[in-house]
Amino acid sequence: MAEKMPPSERQRFMRDLRAYLKSQDEKRRSSLAFKLLDRYPDIRPFIAPHLASLLEAAHGDDTDKAVASKALHIDAEARRLVNLEMLSFMGAAHRGLEAKRGGNYNPVPELEAAPAFVPPAKTSTASSKADPQFTFRSIVAAETARRALGKDAKPFPASTPRKYLKRGEEFASWRQSQGLSKSAALDARTVTREEVERWRASLLAGSELTNRTINDKVSCISTIIKWGRRLHREAFHPEGNPLAGLEKCIHPRWAAGLGISRVVA
């Protein structure tokens, strides 16, 4: 096949084939295999069997679950086709998730067809027990005390610590509903960005609160973590505040001016 190619095409073929053979990453190798099959149809008898094994390794488990859910029995050829469709489906689903992380909440058919995510219950261990100094309540109390120190101190008004305590308790209660033990739910050291995004999504789905109120709840948790980092230094989120830069939900009044009904960042 290569001998029949013009020199320039043969060089390109050798580059593509070498990249395919040297690749150690399964996802990239699958992509390169499709590229070879598309550009050089005569190579299909050699590449197709290996591509089938790559697809089986990558999506065989997904295909097993899909087939079992429909109580189907399929032959080897049909299985290869299902694996191929699964590659396309899962790729679209992953791209949809990345788009949502970037703030694009347009509908993704592949995600809408997927079953709802149910987080696994997390068991409490000795290492997951909350140290009292790292709870939301303790951090708010420590920051309140710090603001009151010194001759020229500007202590918080009484309503401020009450507000942050309430927000911390609300978030901790939601974390507990997601499977965390009470002590683990109160531990502010384990807060993640993904977790807060899910909390925000659950508040938005409830349609009972304004976007401004939801923004305030999330902002309060971010502020508590900021206080904790200043208070505990390297012992508390040493890599930075996980909620830094988390964009806000757009307020309905602003959204109307942009010609949209609702936007979630």
Side-chain angles (χ1 to χ4, degrees), residues 3-60:
E3 288 175 353
K4 296 176 184 178
M5 293 178 176
S8 60
E9 185 179 357
R10 186 184 306 129
Q11 291 177 359
R12 186 182 70 169
F13 169 64
M14 296 304 292
R15 286 197 301 270
D16 292 345
L17 183 62
R18 186 176 294 111
Y20 166 74
L21 293 173
K22 291 176 66 176
S23 177
Q24 300 297 315
D25 179 79
E26 285 190 0
K27 181 183 290 188
R28 172 167 168 73
R29 203 165 195 195
S30 295
S31 175
L32 292 171
F34 278 112
K35 183 178 177 180
L36 284 169
L37 292 172
D38 182 55
R39 285 185 173 178
Y40 317 103
D42 290 344
I43 206 173
R44 287 178 182 175
F46 308 100
I47 299 296
H50 188 227
L51 177 60
S53 66
L54 286 173
L55 290 175
E56 180 64 34
H59 296 294

Side-chain angles (χ1 to χ4, degrees), residues 88-233:
S88 174
F89 184 93
M90 297 297 284
H94 283 296
R95 288 192 296 274
L97 289 173
E98 287 301 319
K100 289 182 184 296
R101 292 190 185 101
N104 182 351
Y105 276 72
N106 290 331
V108 179
E110 290 79 6
L111 290 179
E112 294 176 357
F117 172 71
V118 179
K122 297 182 180 180
T123 57
S124 177
T125 63
S127 60
S128 67
K129 291 182 178 179
D131 186 320
Q133 67 177 328
F134 295 114
T135 64
F136 299 104
R137 175 173 290 276
S138 294
I139 293 171
V140 173
E143 179 64 14
T144 301
R146 187 188 73 82
R147 293 291 182 107
L149 295 174
K151 181 179 179 180
D152 299 321
K154 294 182 179 180
F156 282 141
S159 61
T160 297
R162 283 201 301 268
K163 171 185 172 180
Y164 284 94
L165 286 172
K166 180 181 178 182
R167 298 306 192 215
E169 289 171 355
E170 290 171 346
F171 181 50
S173 178
W174 178 85
R175 298 180 86 197
Q176 195 171 353
S177 75
Q178 300 301 294
L180 290 178
S181 67
K182 183 176 181 179
S183 60
L186 294 169
D187 193 335
R189 290 174 299 181
T190 59
V191 174
T192 67
R193 189 185 190 92
E194 184 273 338
E195 183 182 37
V196 172
E197 287 176 337
R198 287 196 291 115
W199 180 47
R200 181 176 65 179
S202 72
L203 294 172
L204 286 165
S207 300
E208 298 174 355
L209 302 172
T210 65
N211 284 10
R212 177 174 293 179
T213 298
I214 294 172
N215 285 336
D216 181 69
K217 289 176 182 288
V218 172
S219 177
C220 285
I221 301 304
S222 178
T223 299
I224 292 173
I225 292 176
K226 181 181 72 174
W227 291 343
R229 293 191 69 237
R230 182 167 55 201
L231 179 66
H232 298 296
R233 305 294 178 179

